[in-house]
Amino acid sequence: MFENSLIDLDKKTKRGLRWWLMPVALIIHLVAGGALLFAQYWNVPPVEEPPINVVFVNTAPPPPPPPPPPPPPASAPKPVEVPKEVPHIQPTEPVQPVQVPEKVPPPSNNPPADAGVEGGVEGGVAGGVVGGVVGGVVGGVVGGTPGGVVGGQDEAPLRVGGDVSRPEIITQVKPVYTELARRARVTGTVIVEAIIDQQGNVTNVRVLKGQPMGLDKAAVDAVQRWKFKPAMLAGKPVKVYYVLTVNFQVQ
């Protein structure tokens, strides 16, 4: 009886071992397989990047520009026609008029308009001076400079600075505020450049910076009536360029 009990115990023990042995083996296989896959994943060698081929291409230079077209052929100068002189034939016999005029004009002592003056030059100007130059100016001086001013020399305006003194204002006329600009309450400054001549007068006014609604013209009209003490150079009055400002403020 005791032996039978031992055999039964041995059978029960073997049956218990068989129950948990299969899951344990399965787990061990799964762990081993996962470890093997994980090791293979981390042991993958890195993939090298393929080399990049760089090719430098030298483009051909642009073609040179075409040559300019040849100049047109010079036309032959036209021949100058010389008028033929008609010989003046003096009548050998007196010719009677076809119609007798009722009144015979009295003889005039004044020479005709196209008659020359003794000592004059062919092609001269009526009222010129004997010994003058063809193409001169009436009232000019013999031996003067072509393009000069009658009675003196016209010097170019100078710039203020250095030995050229600044012109001083004597009389300043206020500009007239236009009604349109006053209603619109337009304010600002008009800058003009003018020439102050040797007499202190303002000429050749031009606007450098203007204002709308007629304020430009009002500034120019006012500046042209200003009077200055002229600029001086070496003790003599000279013409100068001068920049003037005119302010417009609504009272």
Side-chain angles (χ1 to χ4, degrees):
M1 183 177 182
F2 180 72
E3 291 177 357
N4 293 333
S5 60
L6 290 175
I7 292 170
D8 293 336
L9 181 61
D10 188 16
K11 290 180 179 181
K12 291 180 180 181
T13 303
K14 290 181 179 180
R15 290 177 183 174
L17 290 174
R18 291 176 183 175
W19 176 81
W20 58 267
L21 184 61
M22 184 62 67
V24 170
L26 183 60
I27 291 171
I28 292 173
H29 281 81
L30 291 174
V31 171
L36 181 62
L37 292 175
F38 186 76
Q40 291 180 357
Y41 175 78
W42 283 103
N43 287 332
V44 175
V47 179
E48 296 182 357
E49 295 184 359
I52 300 175
N53 296 327
V54 180
V55 180
F56 296 94
V57 179
N58 293 328
T59 59
S75 58
K78 297 181 179 180
V80 180
E81 297 182 359
V82 180
K84 298 180 180 180
E85 296 183 358
V86 180
H88 182 68
I89 302 174
Q90 295 288 343
T92 57
E93 296 181 359
V95 179
Q96 296 181 357
V98 178
Q99 183 179 1
V100 179
E102 298 179 356
K103 292 183 179 181
V104 179
S108 176
N109 296 325
N110 298 326
D114 56 351
V117 181
E118 184 179 356
V121 181
E122 182 179 357
V125 181
V129 181
V130 177
V133 180
V134 178
V137 180
V138 177
V141 180
V142 177
T145 303
V149 178
V150 177
Q153 296 180 351
D154 187 17
E155 298 179 355
L158 304 176
R159 294 287 180 181
V160 175
D163 296 334
V164 181
S165 64
R166 186 184 303 272
E168 299 177 5
I169 189 167
I170 300 174
T171 304
Q172 184 175 4
V173 179
K174 293 184 178 180
V176 178
Y177 220 116
T178 60
E179 187 63 26
L180 185 61
R182 188 186 303 278
R183 291 181 181 180
R185 303 187 66 82
V186 177
T187 60
T189 302
V190 177
I191 302 176
V192 300
E193 184 185 54
I195 296 177
I196 313 298
D197 61 10
Q198 293 91 333
Q199 290 75 33
N201 300 320
V202 181
T203 60
N204 299 82
V205 182
R206 67 185 184 96
V207 178
L208 299 180
K209 176 187 176 184
Q211 295 294 335
M213 300 185 183
L215 296 184
D216 291 355
K217 186 177 183 302
V220 172
D221 294 342
V223 167
Q224 287 178 343
R225 291 184 290 170
W226 290 7
K227 188 70 175 179
F228 286 83
K229 180 182 177 182
M232 306 295 289
L233 175 63
K236 296 181 180 180
V238 292
K239 290 196 302 185
V240 293
Y241 291 105
Y242 204 56
V243 177
L244 304 170
T245 57
V246 181
N247 296 319
F248 289 92
Q249 298 291 335
V250 178
Q251 301 295 334

